[in-house]
PDB file of all heavy atoms in Angstrom:
ATOM      1  N   LYS A  57      -1.253 131.993  49.467  1.00 73.00           N
ATOM      2  CA  LYS A  57      -1.929 133.148  48.850  1.00 73.00           C
ATOM      3  C   LYS A  57      -1.154 134.529  49.291  1.00 73.00           C
ATOM      4  O   LYS A  57      -0.493 134.530  50.302  1.00 73.00           O
ATOM      5  CB  LYS A  57      -3.345 133.135  49.377  1.00 73.00           C
ATOM      6  CG  LYS A  57      -4.154 132.044  48.883  1.00 73.00           C
ATOM      7  CD  LYS A  57      -5.558 132.281  49.451  1.00 73.00           C
ATOM      8  CE  LYS A  57      -6.503 131.043  48.962  1.00 73.00           C
ATOM      9  NZ  LYS A  57      -7.896 131.258  49.379  1.00 73.00           N
ATOM     10  N   ALA A  58      -1.160 135.353  48.371  1.00 74.00           N
ATOM     11  CA  ALA A  58      -0.639 136.710  48.710  1.00 74.00           C
ATOM     12  C   ALA A  58      -1.445 137.449  49.812  1.00 74.00           C
ATOM     13  O   ALA A  58      -2.582 137.388  49.747  1.00 74.00           O
ATOM     14  CB  ALA A  58      -0.589 137.577  47.361  1.00 74.00           C
ATOM     15  N   LEU A  59      -0.709 138.062  50.658  1.00 77.00           N
ATOM     16  CA  LEU A  59      -1.371 138.775  51.767  1.00 77.00           C
ATOM     17  C   LEU A  59      -1.700 140.195  51.170  1.00 77.00           C
ATOM     18  O   LEU A  59      -1.032 140.747  50.254  1.00 77.00           O
ATOM     19  CB  LEU A  59      -0.405 138.913  52.869  1.00 77.00           C
ATOM     20  CG  LEU A  59      -0.010 137.590  53.631  1.00 77.00           C
ATOM     21  CD1 LEU A  59       0.942 137.874  54.726  1.00 77.00           C
ATOM     22  CD2 LEU A  59      -1.211 136.861  54.174  1.00 77.00           C
ATOM     23  N   PRO A  60      -2.708 140.900  51.748  1.00 84.00           N
ATOM     24  CA  PRO A  60      -3.052 142.253  51.383  1.00 84.00           C
ATOM     25  C   PRO A  60      -1.825 143.238  51.443  1.00 84.00           C
ATOM     26  O   PRO A  60      -1.070 143.139  52.358  1.00 84.00           O
ATOM     27  CB  PRO A  60      -4.104 142.738  52.383  1.00 84.00           C
ATOM     28  CG  PRO A  60      -4.673 141.406  52.797  1.00 84.00           C
ATOM     29  CD  PRO A  60      -3.600 140.357  52.856  1.00 84.00           C
ATOM     30  N   SER A  84       2.547 138.863  61.583  1.00 95.00           N
ATOM     31  CA  SER A  84       2.433 138.380  60.234  1.00 95.00           C
ATOM     32  C   SER A  84       3.437 137.128  60.168  1.00 95.00           C
ATOM     33  O   SER A  84       4.488 137.098  60.837  1.00 95.00           O
ATOM     34  CB  SER A  84       2.887 139.300  59.251  1.00 95.00           C
ATOM     35  OG  SER A  84       2.956 138.810  57.945  1.00 95.00           O
ATOM     36  N   PRO A  85       3.164 136.031  59.479  1.00 94.00           N
ATOM     37  CA  PRO A  85       3.958 134.992  59.230  1.00 94.00           C
ATOM     38  C   PRO A  85       5.021 135.169  58.395  1.00 94.00           C
ATOM     39  O   PRO A  85       6.017 134.343  58.093  1.00 94.00           O
ATOM     40  CB  PRO A  85       3.038 133.812  58.759  1.00 94.00           C
ATOM     41  CG  PRO A  85       1.964 134.532  58.004  1.00 94.00           C
ATOM     42  CD  PRO A  85       1.790 135.886  58.755  1.00 94.00           C
ATOM     43  N   ARG A  86       5.028 136.362  57.713  1.00 96.00           N
ATOM     44  CA  ARG A  86       5.986 136.717  56.699  1.00 96.00           C
ATOM     45  C   ARG A  86       6.716 138.115  56.976  1.00 96.00           C
ATOM     46  O   ARG A  86       6.225 138.894  57.752  1.00 96.00           O
ATOM     47  CB  ARG A  86       5.399 136.719  55.316  1.00 96.00           C
ATOM     48  CG  ARG A  86       4.682 135.545  54.904  1.00 96.00           C
ATOM     49  CD  ARG A  86       3.926 135.707  53.626  1.00 96.00           C
ATOM     50  NE  ARG A  86       2.935 134.583  53.370  1.00 96.00           N
ATOM     51  CZ  ARG A  86       2.083 134.612  52.377  1.00 96.00           C
ATOM     52  NH1 ARG A  86       2.148 135.547  51.418  1.00 96.00           N
ATOM     53  NH2 ARG A  86       1.187 133.481  52.251  1.00 96.00           N
ATOM     54  N   TRP A  87       7.852 138.331  56.366  1.00 97.00           N
ATOM     55  CA  TRP A  87       8.578 139.621  56.520  1.00 97.00           C
ATOM     56  C   TRP A  87       8.031 140.579  55.418  1.00 97.00           C
ATOM     57  O   TRP A  87       7.580 140.179  54.334  1.00 97.00           O
ATOM     58  CB  TRP A  87      10.054 139.328  56.339  1.00 97.00           C
ATOM     59  CG  TRP A  87      10.725 138.517  57.441  1.00 97.00           C
ATOM     60  CD1 TRP A  87      11.308 137.340  57.174  1.00 97.00           C
ATOM     61  CD2 TRP A  87      10.802 138.757  58.824  1.00 97.00           C
ATOM     62  NE1 TRP A  87      11.725 136.743  58.484  1.00 97.00           N
ATOM     63  CE2 TRP A  87      11.502 137.634  59.451  1.00 97.00           C
ATOM     64  CE3 TRP A  87      10.440 139.799  59.635  1.00 97.00           C
ATOM     65  CZ2 TRP A  87      11.784 137.611  60.797  1.00 97.00           C
ATOM     66  CZ3 TRP A  87      10.742 139.726  60.941  1.00 97.00           C
ATOM     67  CH2 TRP A  87      11.383 138.627  61.567  1.00 97.00           C
ATOM     68  N   PRO A  88       8.329 141.911  55.592  1.00 97.00           N
ATOM     69  CA  PRO A  88       7.951 142.895  54.579  1.00 97.00           C
ATOM     70  C   PRO A  88       8.917 143.038  53.411  1.00 97.00           C
ATOM     71  O   PRO A  88      10.197 142.908  53.571  1.00 97.00           O
ATOM     72  CB  PRO A  88       8.007 144.135  55.376  1.00 97.00           C
ATOM     73  CG  PRO A  88       8.916 143.981  56.539  1.00 97.00           C
ATOM     74  CD  PRO A  88       8.785 142.650  56.881  1.00 97.00           C
ATOM     75  N   TYR A  89       8.265 143.216  52.309  1.00 97.00           N
ATOM     76  CA  TYR A  89       8.986 143.491  50.940  1.00 97.00           C
ATOM     77  C   TYR A  89       8.597 144.880  50.564  1.00 97.00           C
ATOM     78  O   TYR A  89       7.371 145.135  50.280  1.00 97.00           O
ATOM     79  CB  TYR A  89       8.657 142.427  49.930  1.00 97.00           C
ATOM     80  CG  TYR A  89       9.325 142.512  48.655  1.00 97.00           C
ATOM     81  CD1 TYR A  89      10.438 141.902  48.376  1.00 97.00           C
ATOM     82  CD2 TYR A  89       8.651 143.385  47.582  1.00 97.00           C
ATOM     83  CE1 TYR A  89      11.096 141.885  47.081  1.00 97.00           C
ATOM     84  CE2 TYR A  89       9.334 143.473  46.401  1.00 97.00           C
ATOM     85  CZ  TYR A  89      10.566 142.767  46.123  1.00 97.00           C
ATOM     86  OH  TYR A  89      11.109 142.708  44.956  1.00 97.00           O
ATOM     87  N   ILE A  90       9.470 145.795  50.777  1.00 97.00           N
ATOM     88  CA  ILE A  90       9.198 147.300  50.682  1.00 97.00           C
ATOM     89  C   ILE A  90       9.380 147.804  49.221  1.00 97.00           C
ATOM     90  O   ILE A  90      10.580 147.647  48.765  1.00 97.00           O
ATOM     91  CB  ILE A  90      10.004 148.126  51.734  1.00 97.00           C
ATOM     92  CG1 ILE A  90       9.727 147.463  53.099  1.00 97.00           C
ATOM     93  CG2 ILE A  90       9.626 149.489  51.668  1.00 97.00           C
ATOM     94  CD1 ILE A  90      10.612 147.960  54.282  1.00 97.00           C
ATOM     95  N   MET A 140      17.716 145.734  47.008  1.00 95.00           N
ATOM     96  CA  MET A 140      17.936 145.261  45.563  1.00 95.00           C
ATOM     97  C   MET A 140      17.926 146.383  44.565  1.00 95.00           C
ATOM     98  O   MET A 140      17.909 146.181  43.401  1.00 95.00           O
ATOM     99  CB  MET A 140      16.748 144.297  45.257  1.00 95.00           C
ATOM    100  CG  MET A 140      16.843 142.896  46.114  1.00 95.00           C
ATOM    101  SD  MET A 140      15.834 141.579  45.449  1.00 95.00           S
ATOM    102  CE  MET A 140      14.200 142.321  45.333  1.00 95.00           C
ATOM    103  N   PHE A 146      15.580 138.771  43.481  1.00 94.00           N
ATOM    104  CA  PHE A 146      15.146 137.844  44.530  1.00 94.00           C
ATOM    105  C   PHE A 146      15.860 136.482  44.472  1.00 94.00           C
ATOM    106  O   PHE A 146      16.340 135.926  45.504  1.00 94.00           O
ATOM    107  CB  PHE A 146      13.650 137.676  44.470  1.00 94.00           C
ATOM    108  CG  PHE A 146      13.130 136.860  45.689  1.00 94.00           C
ATOM    109  CD1 PHE A 146      12.900 137.527  46.954  1.00 94.00           C
ATOM    110  CD2 PHE A 146      12.817 135.503  45.570  1.00 94.00           C
ATOM    111  CE1 PHE A 146      12.379 136.809  47.998  1.00 94.00           C
ATOM    112  CE2 PHE A 146      12.379 134.811  46.655  1.00 94.00           C
ATOM    113  CZ  PHE A 146      12.089 135.542  47.887  1.00 94.00           C
ATOM    114  N   MET A 149      19.507 136.731  45.152  1.00 96.00           N
ATOM    115  CA  MET A 149      19.695 136.914  46.603  1.00 96.00           C
ATOM    116  C   MET A 149      19.630 135.659  47.481  1.00 96.00           C
ATOM    117  O   MET A 149      20.372 135.449  48.388  1.00 96.00           O
ATOM    118  CB  MET A 149      18.604 137.870  47.135  1.00 96.00           C
ATOM    119  CG  MET A 149      18.620 138.284  48.541  1.00 96.00           C
ATOM    120  SD  MET A 149      17.033 138.772  49.295  1.00 96.00           S
ATOM    121  CE  MET A 149      16.176 137.111  49.278  1.00 96.00           C
ATOM    122  N   LEU A 164      15.278 132.070  56.956  1.00 97.00           N
ATOM    123  CA  LEU A 164      15.049 133.461  57.155  1.00 97.00           C
ATOM    124  C   LEU A 164      13.638 133.747  56.770  1.00 97.00           C
ATOM    125  O   LEU A 164      12.975 134.524  57.498  1.00 97.00           O
ATOM    126  CB  LEU A 164      16.125 134.110  56.300  1.00 97.00           C
ATOM    127  CG  LEU A 164      16.166 135.735  56.414  1.00 97.00           C
ATOM    128  CD1 LEU A 164      16.609 135.970  57.980  1.00 97.00           C
ATOM    129  CD2 LEU A 164      17.255 136.239  55.487  1.00 97.00           C
ATOM    130  N   LEU A 165      13.114 133.310  55.663  1.00 97.00           N
ATOM    131  CA  LEU A 165      11.817 133.718  55.161  1.00 97.00           C
ATOM    132  C   LEU A 165      10.659 133.165  56.030  1.00 97.00           C
ATOM    133  O   LEU A 165       9.617 133.739  56.232  1.00 97.00           O
ATOM    134  CB  LEU A 165      11.556 133.324  53.687  1.00 97.00           C
ATOM    135  CG  LEU A 165      12.435 134.088  52.692  1.00 97.00           C
ATOM    136  CD1 LEU A 165      12.211 133.466  51.256  1.00 97.00           C
ATOM    137  CD2 LEU A 165      12.294 135.490  52.799  1.00 97.00           C
ATOM    138  N   PHE A 200      13.505 141.236  59.453  1.00 98.00           N
ATOM    139  CA  PHE A 200      14.109 141.147  58.141  1.00 98.00           C
ATOM    140  C   PHE A 200      13.282 141.832  57.133  1.00 98.00           C
ATOM    141  O   PHE A 200      12.011 141.754  57.171  1.00 98.00           O
ATOM    142  CB  PHE A 200      14.336 139.589  57.713  1.00 98.00           C
ATOM    143  CG  PHE A 200      14.870 139.507  56.271  1.00 98.00           C
ATOM    144  CD1 PHE A 200      16.056 139.967  55.870  1.00 98.00           C
ATOM    145  CD2 PHE A 200      14.048 138.838  55.347  1.00 98.00           C
ATOM    146  CE1 PHE A 200      16.535 139.826  54.609  1.00 98.00           C
ATOM    147  CE2 PHE A 200      14.439 138.608  54.114  1.00 98.00           C
ATOM    148  CZ  PHE A 200      15.626 139.144  53.691  1.00 98.00           C
ATOM    149  N   ALA A 201      13.827 142.420  56.184  1.00 98.00           N
ATOM    150  CA  ALA A 201      13.113 143.104  55.119  1.00 98.00           C
ATOM    151  C   ALA A 201      13.883 143.230  53.819  1.00 98.00           C
ATOM    152  O   ALA A 201      15.181 143.195  53.868  1.00 98.00           O
ATOM    153  CB  ALA A 201      12.591 144.496  55.526  1.00 98.00           C
ATOM    154  N   ILE A 202      13.196 143.368  52.688  1.00 97.00           N
ATOM    155  CA  ILE A 202      13.830 143.616  51.504  1.00 97.00           C
ATOM    156  C   ILE A 202      13.348 144.908  50.849  1.00 97.00           C
ATOM    157  O   ILE A 202      12.148 145.219  50.930  1.00 97.00           O
ATOM    158  CB  ILE A 202      13.530 142.481  50.438  1.00 97.00           C
ATOM    159  CG1 ILE A 202      14.164 141.115  50.898  1.00 97.00           C
ATOM    160  CG2 ILE A 202      14.074 142.793  49.036  1.00 97.00           C
ATOM    161  CD1 ILE A 202      13.774 139.871  50.005  1.00 97.00           C
ATOM    162  N   LEU A 203      14.171 145.658  50.246  1.00 97.00           N
ATOM    163  CA  LEU A 203      13.910 146.979  49.718  1.00 97.00           C
ATOM    164  C   LEU A 203      14.116 146.969  48.233  1.00 97.00           C
ATOM    165  O   LEU A 203      15.132 146.533  47.710  1.00 97.00           O
ATOM    166  CB  LEU A 203      14.712 148.059  50.461  1.00 97.00           C
ATOM    167  CG  LEU A 203      14.596 149.476  49.917  1.00 97.00           C
ATOM    168  CD1 LEU A 203      13.108 149.888  50.027  1.00 97.00           C
ATOM    169  CD2 LEU A 203      15.454 150.400  50.667  1.00 97.00           C
ATOM    170  N   VAL A 209       5.858 143.336  41.253  1.00 94.00           N
ATOM    171  CA  VAL A 209       6.323 142.371  42.273  1.00 94.00           C
ATOM    172  C   VAL A 209       5.956 140.949  41.746  1.00 94.00           C
ATOM    173  O   VAL A 209       4.855 140.711  41.360  1.00 94.00           O
ATOM    174  CB  VAL A 209       5.758 142.615  43.730  1.00 94.00           C
ATOM    175  CG1 VAL A 209       6.255 141.445  44.675  1.00 94.00           C
ATOM    176  CG2 VAL A 209       6.171 143.926  44.204  1.00 94.00           C
ATOM    177  N   ASP A 211       5.006 136.862  41.554  1.00 93.00           N
ATOM    178  CA  ASP A 211       4.175 136.051  42.290  1.00 93.00           C
ATOM    179  C   ASP A 211       4.918 135.242  43.363  1.00 93.00           C
ATOM    180  O   ASP A 211       4.384 134.984  44.485  1.00 93.00           O
ATOM    181  CB  ASP A 211       3.405 134.988  41.429  1.00 93.00           C
ATOM    182  CG  ASP A 211       2.359 135.803  40.540  1.00 93.00           C
ATOM    183  OD1 ASP A 211       1.880 136.904  40.922  1.00 93.00           O
ATOM    184  OD2 ASP A 211       1.986 135.114  39.511  1.00 93.00           O
ATOM    185  N   GLU A 212       6.186 134.873  43.050  1.00 93.00           N
ATOM    186  CA  GLU A 212       6.894 134.202  44.001  1.00 93.00           C
ATOM    187  C   GLU A 212       7.184 134.946  45.246  1.00 93.00           C
ATOM    188  O   GLU A 212       7.086 134.489  46.395  1.00 93.00           O
ATOM    189  CB  GLU A 212       8.326 133.799  43.351  1.00 93.00           C
ATOM    190  CG  GLU A 212       9.118 133.034  44.263  1.00 93.00           C
ATOM    191  CD  GLU A 212      10.621 132.721  43.755  1.00 93.00           C
ATOM    192  OE1 GLU A 212      10.928 133.321  42.803  1.00 93.00           O
ATOM    193  OE2 GLU A 212      11.416 132.011  44.441  1.00 93.00           O
ATOM    194  N   VAL A 213       7.521 136.251  45.091  1.00 95.00           N
ATOM    195  CA  VAL A 213       7.743 137.165  46.312  1.00 95.00           C
ATOM    196  C   VAL A 213       6.408 137.368  47.067  1.00 95.00           C
ATOM    197  O   VAL A 213       6.534 137.345  48.253  1.00 95.00           O
ATOM    198  CB  VAL A 213       8.263 138.549  45.755  1.00 95.00           C
ATOM    199  CG1 VAL A 213       8.434 139.541  46.880  1.00 95.00           C
ATOM    200  CG2 VAL A 213       9.728 138.366  45.208  1.00 95.00           C
ATOM    201  N   LYS A 214       5.353 137.519  46.295  1.00 94.00           N
ATOM    202  CA  LYS A 214       4.102 137.783  47.043  1.00 94.00           C
ATOM    203  C   LYS A 214       3.649 136.503  47.813  1.00 94.00           C
ATOM    204  O   LYS A 214       2.931 136.691  48.878  1.00 94.00           O
ATOM    205  CB  LYS A 214       3.019 138.051  45.922  1.00 94.00           C
ATOM    206  CG  LYS A 214       3.114 139.373  45.297  1.00 94.00           C
ATOM    207  CD  LYS A 214       1.962 139.529  44.147  1.00 94.00           C
ATOM    208  CE  LYS A 214       2.057 140.929  43.604  1.00 94.00           C
ATOM    209  NZ  LYS A 214       1.022 141.114  42.570  1.00 94.00           N
ATOM    210  N   SER A 215       4.169 135.466  47.522  1.00 94.00           N
ATOM    211  CA  SER A 215       3.677 134.152  48.212  1.00 94.00           C
ATOM    212  C   SER A 215       4.603 133.936  49.431  1.00 94.00           C
ATOM    213  O   SER A 215       4.369 133.023  50.219  1.00 94.00           O
ATOM    214  CB  SER A 215       3.801 132.916  47.229  1.00 94.00           C
ATOM    215  OG  SER A 215       5.145 132.698  46.896  1.00 94.00           O
ATOM    216  N   LYS A 216       5.726 134.711  49.503  1.00 95.00           N
ATOM    217  CA  LYS A 216       6.649 134.500  50.600  1.00 95.00           C
ATOM    218  C   LYS A 216       6.872 135.659  51.437  1.00 95.00           C
ATOM    219  O   LYS A 216       7.426 135.503  52.619  1.00 95.00           O
ATOM    220  CB  LYS A 216       8.055 134.111  49.974  1.00 95.00           C
ATOM    221  CG  LYS A 216       7.959 132.761  49.231  1.00 95.00           C
ATOM    222  CD  LYS A 216       9.444 132.447  48.694  1.00 95.00           C
ATOM    223  CE  LYS A 216       9.353 131.062  47.867  1.00 95.00           C
ATOM    224  NZ  LYS A 216      10.600 130.714  47.344  1.00 95.00           N
ATOM    225  N   MET A 217       6.364 136.799  51.111  1.00 96.00           N
ATOM    226  CA  MET A 217       6.527 138.111  51.925  1.00 96.00           C
ATOM    227  C   MET A 217       5.282 138.881  51.696  1.00 96.00           C
ATOM    228  O   MET A 217       4.476 138.679  50.840  1.00 96.00           O
ATOM    229  CB  MET A 217       7.755 138.846  51.412  1.00 96.00           C
ATOM    230  CG  MET A 217       9.096 137.980  51.392  1.00 96.00           C
ATOM    231  SD  MET A 217      10.593 139.063  51.049  1.00 96.00           S
ATOM    232  CE  MET A 217      10.881 139.781  52.637  1.00 96.00           C
ATOM    233  N   PHE A 218       5.043 139.993  52.559  1.00 96.00           N
ATOM    234  CA  PHE A 218       3.925 140.755  52.405  1.00 96.00           C
ATOM    235  C   PHE A 218       4.500 142.220  51.911  1.00 96.00           C
ATOM    236  O   PHE A 218       5.570 142.583  52.268  1.00 96.00           O
ATOM    237  CB  PHE A 218       3.105 140.995  53.719  1.00 96.00           C
ATOM    238  CG  PHE A 218       3.698 141.749  54.768  1.00 96.00           C
ATOM    239  CD1 PHE A 218       3.543 143.173  54.866  1.00 96.00           C
ATOM    240  CD2 PHE A 218       4.388 141.092  55.898  1.00 96.00           C
ATOM    241  CE1 PHE A 218       4.051 143.797  55.914  1.00 96.00           C
ATOM    242  CE2 PHE A 218       4.929 141.770  56.893  1.00 96.00           C
ATOM    243  CZ  PHE A 218       4.791 143.210  56.936  1.00 96.00           C
ATOM    244  N   ILE A 219       3.665 142.757  51.014  1.00 97.00           N
ATOM    245  CA  ILE A 219       4.197 143.943  50.198  1.00 97.00           C
ATOM    246  C   ILE A 219       3.753 145.247  50.942  1.00 97.00           C
ATOM    247  O   ILE A 219       2.615 145.301  51.313  1.00 97.00           O
ATOM    248  CB  ILE A 219       3.575 143.941  48.811  1.00 97.00           C
ATOM    249  CG1 ILE A 219       3.740 142.489  48.154  1.00 97.00           C
ATOM    250  CG2 ILE A 219       4.255 144.984  48.009  1.00 97.00           C
ATOM    251  CD1 ILE A 219       5.122 141.938  48.125  1.00 97.00           C
ATOM    252  N   VAL A 220       4.733 146.021  51.115  1.00 97.00           N
ATOM    253  CA  VAL A 220       4.532 147.401  51.680  1.00 97.00           C
ATOM    254  C   VAL A 220       5.013 148.446  50.559  1.00 97.00           C
ATOM    255  O   VAL A 220       6.123 148.378  50.122  1.00 97.00           O
ATOM    256  CB  VAL A 220       5.441 147.595  52.907  1.00 97.00           C
ATOM    257  CG1 VAL A 220       5.248 149.035  53.475  1.00 97.00           C
ATOM    258  CG2 VAL A 220       4.993 146.623  53.917  1.00 97.00           C
TER     259      VAL A 220
END
Side-chain angles (χ1 to χ4, degrees):
K57 294 181 179 180
L59 297 178
S84 175
R86 306 175 193 173
W87 297 114
Y89 183 91
I90 304 168
M140 297 198 301
F146 187 80
M149 180 206 70
L164 193 54
L165 293 179
F200 172 64
I202 294 176
L203 175 63
V209 181
D211 290 339
E212 180 185 12
V213 172
K214 289 179 180 179
S215 69
K216 295 178 178 179
M217 307 186 77
F218 71 89
I219 313 305
V220 178

